Amino acid sequence: MTQLHDMTVAELAAGLKAKTFSATEVAQHFVSRAQADATGSFLALNPEATLAQAKAADERIAAGQAGALEGVPLGHKDIFVTKDFPTTAGSKMLEGYRSPFDATLVQRLADAGMVTVGKLNCDEFAMGSANENSAYGPVKNPWDVTRVPGGSSGGSAAAIAARIVPAATGTDTGGSIRQPASFCGITGIKPTYGRASRYGMIAYASSLDQGGPMARTAEDCAMLLSAMCGPDADRDSTSLDVPAEDFTKSLSADLRGLRIGIPKEFFGEGLHADVRAAVDGALGELTQLGATLVPISLPRTELAIPVYYIIAPAEASSNLSRFDGVKFGHRAKDYTDLESMYKKSRAEGFGSEVKRRIMTGTYVLSHGYYDAYYLQAQKIRRMIANDFQQAFQECDVIAGPVAPSVAWKLGENANDPVADYLADIFTLPASLAGLPGMSVPAGFGAHNMPVGLQLIGNYFKEAQLLNVAHRLQQATDFHLRKPEGI
């Protein structure tokens, strides 16, 4: 029999429904793997709570009341608040924090029957492209432990690639689901902004943050996303009034007649040859399945980086002002008055990248600079969104690389944060436009490291993206491969 950790979400769900194994057996297996984790993926485990959830799942299965994902284990990015596990957002500022409630996405997946194994490492407050900004240490890429897993959802991607959990939640502000999925050779999807509730997701940039699923296959992501999506207007003002959808229904639809837009800006100078070769190979597979490649242009692609790194830090500056050492979070031990308590608490609690972005955001929002920077960035953001709508008149789906290169060495960009920022060039445009996007394994590049194919759809076209990804995975085996020794 295939080992439990080599099974996909779909396979585990089927086996649990058929009572081939119990949810308790599955939970014990994955908890043991998490306890032996050598990638630095996990920040918190609670075996007692996990096994209690699994026991409850077994009881529902026995009673014929099983949910669609009953008994299947997963990990949650430590940016989602949870009652049974501490939530830190990868920061010393929230060390030891316990939430009195679960995030909506956590609750919805629990309602579908999923069992939480633990909380997964991430860049502090989701600020980073390599998972090196966590206050609790970096995560290592299972394909090469000397390399980064991508960020900020690097713990989620690494844990799935290492077969420690079959699925995980992630968040994507500027590419933080898609880029680590690419670097670790798994599948991840960011839905349309507002389609999945942000309630209980610790905010970085509120107009950009979006939760989504990460797993090994498009089928798995479709199952998870079906459980995650749906309106949550009472608790999340940015939640869209769009009904939940079964994203598994059209996974196997024919691709004949599908027009795939290829933006010339995604294939220019800066894209490494090994990444291009893998992406071209995946596009070739899609043409064999009946799709047609259509040249398009997204002329403001290069502007996405300066626009994002004005808007996101500005929103972060506002969102992180609540962490002042008064009601919750880190409070300095030595201070003389209220002002010194604020200053020392924030100086001690926040890491260097978070401080950098808070300072940048405060600057661009300050008197005399708001119009020159923030307002101009918002205008260009609208132009970027319009570019996509123009492109979608010529194509159905847009495809290209997720990142210009494969995963780089740990510490390689430690003294050059801009290098990390530039790695987001291909993922930022879709985030700024609020469009759904995903990464699907497309092959391997230099140093035998994974490469992802990025798929971008128009608003609410997640089912179409998952269909394309699923058909590609039926024609290739990249998603089946795993790191040595796993």
Side-chain angles (χ1 to χ4, degrees):
M1 185 181 79
T2 303
Q3 293 192 76
L4 290 173
H5 57 267
D6 283 326
M7 291 185 175
T8 64
V9 168
E11 291 168 343
L12 286 166
L16 285 159
K17 185 177 181 181
K19 300 180 183 178
T20 305
F21 35 75
S22 70
T24 300
E25 289 173 326
V26 173
Q28 288 173 331
H29 180 80
F30 283 100
V31 166
S32 295
R33 290 185 68 79
Q35 289 171 330
D37 171 34
T39 65
S41 295
F42 278 87
L43 292 181
L45 297 171
N46 184 348
E48 185 176 329
T50 300
L51 293 175
Q53 291 178 25
K55 181 181 177 182
D58 280 329
E59 291 172 354
R60 289 190 292 270
I61 291 170
Q65 301 171 344
L69 294 162
E70 199 69 60
V72 177
L74 87 163
H76 287 296
K77 183 177 180 178
D78 200 29
I79 211 80
F80 292 98
V81 299
T82 44
K83 288 189 295 186
D84 293 332
F85 300 82
T87 303
T88 69
S91 177
K92 292 290 184 185
M93 182 59 81
L94 284 174
E95 187 171 20
Y97 173 70
R98 288 271 185 165
S99 170
F101 64 93
D102 284 328
T104 295
L105 260 62
V106 173
Q107 186 59 55
R108 285 181 173 170
L109 290 168
D111 290 344
M114 299 199 82
V115 174
T116 302
V117 174
K119 301 298 286 294
L120 293 159
N121 204 345
C122 59
D123 282 305
E124 186 177 5
F125 289 102
M127 298 182 190
S129 302
N131 219 137
E132 293 182 288
N133 294 333
S134 170
Y136 304 99
V139 177
K140 301 170 185 174
N141 192 316
W143 291 90
D144 180 349
V145 294
T146 69
R147 295 180 180 273
V148 302
S152 62
S153 307
S156 299
I160 295 166
R163 308 299 196 262
I164 303 172
V165 287
T169 52
T171 63
D172 193 309
T173 305
S176 291
I177 285 176
R178 290 162 287 163
Q179 188 243 37
S182 175
F183 283 5
C184 291
I186 66 162
T187 305
I189 182 168
K190 176 194 88 72
T192 302
Y193 176 81
R195 187 135 205 212
S197 175
R198 293 174 49 251
Y199 181 73
M201 186 171 80
I202 296 172
Y204 161 23
S206 300
S207 73
L208 293 158
D209 297 340
Q210 182 59 68
M214 304 173 76
R216 281 167 40 211
T217 70
E219 180 184 20
D220 290 353
C221 284
M223 295 174 71
L224 290 157
L225 193 62
S226 298
M228 294 166 75
C229 287
D232 193 25
D234 292 341
R235 298 185 294 184
D236 175 11
S237 62
T238 62
S239 173
L240 298 174
D241 188 18
V242 178
E245 182 178 344
D246 182 358
F247 294 106
T248 65
K249 283 186 175 180
S250 57
L251 281 175
S252 298
D254 200 324
L255 297 189
R256 282 178 292 185
L258 181 77
R259 300 170 301 165
I260 300 178
I262 308 299
K264 62 181 181 181
E265 292 82 5
F266 283 25
F267 291 86
E269 185 179 352
L271 178 63
H272 290 208
D274 58 317
V275 173
R276 173 154 195 165
V279 169
D280 284 345
L283 292 173
E285 292 284 353
L286 291 172
T287 60
Q288 290 185 28
L289 291 169
T292 303
L293 304 185
V294 180
I296 61 168
S297 178
L298 296 172
R300 295 176 179 85
T301 295
E302 287 189 358
L303 293 176
I305 291 178
V307 167
Y308 176 87
Y309 283 102
I310 288 173
I311 294 173
E315 295 184 10
S317 172
S318 175
N319 281 326
L320 271 61
S321 64
R322 72 193 68 179
F323 299 105
D324 54 14
V326 177
K327 289 185 177 179
F328 54 86
H330 173 75
R331 178 183 292 185
K333 291 182 179 179
D334 301 315
Y335 54 88
T336 56
D337 55 22
L338 186 63
E339 183 176 347
S340 70
M341 186 194 76
Y342 287 159
K343 290 179 177 179
K344 287 190 175 183
S345 297
R346 289 170 67 82
E348 294 171 6
F350 290 134
S352 59
E353 182 60 30
V354 174
K355 292 175 184 175
R356 181 182 292 114
R357 298 195 193 195
I358 289 174
M359 291 173 69
T360 300
T362 303
Y363 178 83
V364 301
L365 290 176
S366 61
H367 179 69
Y369 297 102
Y370 178 90
D371 289 347
Y373 293 107
Y374 185 76
L375 192 60
Q376 293 301 317
Q378 291 287 20
K379 290 178 179 178
I380 299 172
R381 180 182 190 176
R382 170 48 56 192
M383 293 177 185
I384 289 171
N386 290 341
D387 287 344
F388 275 106
Q389 292 310 305
Q390 184 68 36
F392 282 124
Q393 293 181 18
E394 304 172 45
C395 64
D396 305 304
V397 171
I398 294 170
V402 175
S405 70
V406 297
W408 53 86
K409 291 277 190 179
L410 286 160
E412 187 174 320
N413 295 337
N415 298 317
D416 186 8
V418 175
D420 280 2
Y421 301 169
L422 293 173
D424 298 333
I425 180 68
F426 303 135
T427 55
L428 291 177
S431 292
L432 289 165
L435 294 167
M438 68 181 298
S439 175
V440 56
F444 295 83
H447 316 289
N448 199 35
M449 295 301 293
V451 173
L453 173 72
Q454 181 175 202
L455 300 171
I456 301 169
N458 211 342
Y459 301 112
F460 312 117
K461 294 293 186 180
E462 292 85 358
Q464 188 173 49
L465 296 184
L466 290 160
N467 164 224
V468 176
H470 180 66
R471 293 301 306 274
L472 177 62
Q473 289 181 331
Q474 288 181 316
T476 59
D477 69 349
F478 303 126
H479 61 292
L480 300 176
R481 302 184 195 180
K482 60 181 181 178
E484 290 184 14
I486 299 300

